[in-house]
Amino acid sequence: MENKRNRVLLCLGSNWDKEKNMERAAEMLRAHFVFIQFSQPVYTEPIDCPLSTTFLNRVAVSYTHLRAHETLSDL
């Protein structure tokens, strides 16, 4: 079996209890990925969501030997 590393890019966003949910998501992802890096959080205005507050967004990158469907089912 080939021992290939696959890059995982995750886009995270929250518009409700933003900071708490973003930190909780980061903690949960750290439990699944030994090495994961996160971008700085960025606040953005909602598009086509007139009743929404601002969103808090960030990107995470990690690597895994699992295939895409295995990575998703592991989360």
Side-chain angles (χ1 to χ4, degrees):
M1 179 176 203
E2 191 175 329
N3 195 14
K4 182 180 176 183
R5 286 188 348 155
N6 298 304
R7 183 171 38 190
V8 177
L9 295 174
L10 301 163
C11 300
L12 308 172
S14 179
N15 67 335
W16 176 77
D17 210 1
K18 303 167 191 86
E19 292 81 6
K20 183 179 177 181
N21 285 331
M22 195 62 67
E23 186 53 40
R24 184 159 185 246
E27 288 173 12
M28 293 170 72
L29 289 168
R30 285 184 189 107
H32 287 279
F33 297 99
V34 175
F35 175 79
I36 188 167
Q37 291 183 310
F38 294 91
S39 69
Q40 291 296 316
V42 175
Y43 288 93
T44 60
E45 293 297 321
I47 298 174
D48 294 330
C49 298
L51 300 178
S52 180
T53 62
T54 58
F55 282 82
L56 182 59
N57 303 288
R58 72 191 316 187
V59 176
V61 63
S62 188
Y63 294 88
T64 182
H65 295 288
L66 299 175
R67 295 181 180 166
H69 70 277
E70 295 170 318
T71 301
L72 290 172
S73 66
D74 192 41
L75 294 175

